Amino acid sequence: GIPTSGMALWLKADSLDLADGAAVTSWKDSGPHGFEFTQSTASKQPVYIASSSNVNNMPVVDCDGTDIMSTPFDARLNTTDVTLFVVAWSDDDDGNAQGVLETFANSPVTRAGHSLFIRWDSSDKWQWRGGVVNSPSNAVVVNQAELVTGTIAGGDGAGSNANFELFLQGVSVGSSTGAWYVADEDPYGIGHVGSFELKGKIAEIIQYNRAMSTTERQQVEGYLAEKYGFTNN
């Protein structure tokens, strides 16, 4: 079990009832709100992979660099405090930024909201944005799954300073403090940040609407590490 208090989103590839290689037209949230991420355009639909050796032979959703899914704007996914957990990776060092997910919008200010990037265009690193937190250089490896945690805490979502932190496999790799604006428009996107689209796989996304204690964060990271075969720290 993992904490349920404050859970805003829980997307699990192993919740999809699909045949190996099938197009993913709908990915339903296993959390309390039942959000549904969809894609009606066939050329933009990711593919379900029933077993990946990168993540303990668990299922994944495969994005080819043109595939995106989204759910309409909802304030329950755009909160002043955020704790986000992602298991994902990139298949291709194409020298560009690749977006994993976003709530970014241009309201109330340009680049409001939060997002997670893989930055092949900038020292091969993970980047967590609300403020900007970068992992060390060369932290991204082609075809190597990563357990990523991003946190935002202490702000009001309307421009006051908040604290941002990024963890890889349970280890803090960067932090910053800066102005924080919660997005108040635009869909929540999976497989992209704006026009920067993922060439890689997503196994699981869990988001909470609050700051979590260290013990709670480690509990969720431990669940993901055991499920997907990480040696978690």
Side-chain angles (χ1 to χ4, degrees):
I2 60 174
T4 58
S5 173
M7 182 181 285
L9 180 68
W10 193 358
L11 294 173
K12 303 184 290 183
D14 62 326
S15 72
L16 295 168
D17 184 15
L18 296 171
D20 187 37
V24 182
T25 61
S26 169
W27 194 356
K28 293 183 178 179
D29 168 27
S30 297
H33 304 308
F35 294 112
E36 183 177 11
F37 288 74
T38 61
Q39 178 54 259
S40 60
T41 302
S43 62
K44 295 183 178 181
Q45 292 165 351
V47 171
Y48 175 76
I49 305 297
S51 176
S52 171
S53 60
N54 285 354
V55 283
N56 212 23
N57 298 316
M58 295 296 293
V60 295
V61 171
D62 183 15
C63 300
D64 68 2
T66 63
D67 302 328
I68 62 176
M69 306 191 79
S70 64
T71 196
F73 173 84
D74 193 296
R76 292 172 295 181
L77 294 171
N78 294 269
T79 52
T80 56
D81 289 338
V82 177
T83 306
L84 177 76
F85 303 88
V86 175
V87 175
W89 70 90
S90 173
D91 295 328
D92 181 18
D93 180 354
D94 60 359
N96 297 312
Q98 296 184 21
V100 178
L101 60 82
E102 67 158 358
T103 68
F104 262 25
N106 287 322
S107 178
V109 297
T110 300
R111 294 183 176 177
H114 64 265
S115 63
L116 181 66
F117 281 95
I118 294 168
R119 299 300 303 265
W120 292 120
D121 62 332
S122 180
S123 303
D124 301 349
K125 62 195 177 189
W126 289 89
Q127 186 174 83
W128 170 233
R129 298 195 68 152
V132 178
V133 183
N134 294 308
S135 73
S137 299
N138 302 312
V140 182
V141 178
V142 170
N143 209 35
Q144 179 176 298
E146 186 61 82
L147 196 173
V148 184
T149 306
T151 65
I152 303 171
D156 62 6
S160 68
N161 281 351
N163 300 311
F164 308 90
E165 193 163 8
L166 177 66
F167 301 79
L168 298 182
Q169 292 198 50
V171 176
S172 178
V173 295
S175 62
S176 68
T177 300
W180 163 233
Y181 294 88
V182 171
D184 63 9
E185 63 178 19
D186 288 359
Y188 193 128
I190 299 295
H192 75 114
V193 176
S195 62
F196 301 104
E197 297 176 355
L198 177 66
K199 295 181 180 180
K201 313 289 195 295
I202 302 172
E204 194 151 341
I205 297 168
I206 307 173
Q207 182 176 316
Y208 291 84
N209 65 9
R210 62 185 180 89
M212 302 181 79
S213 69
T214 298
T215 298
E216 290 176 315
R217 175 180 58 78
Q218 291 174 341
Q219 184 179 355
V220 180
E221 290 166 340
Y223 151 77
L224 293 170
E226 181 176 6
K227 181 175 182 178
Y228 295 108
F230 292 102
T231 302
N232 200 36
N233 295 294

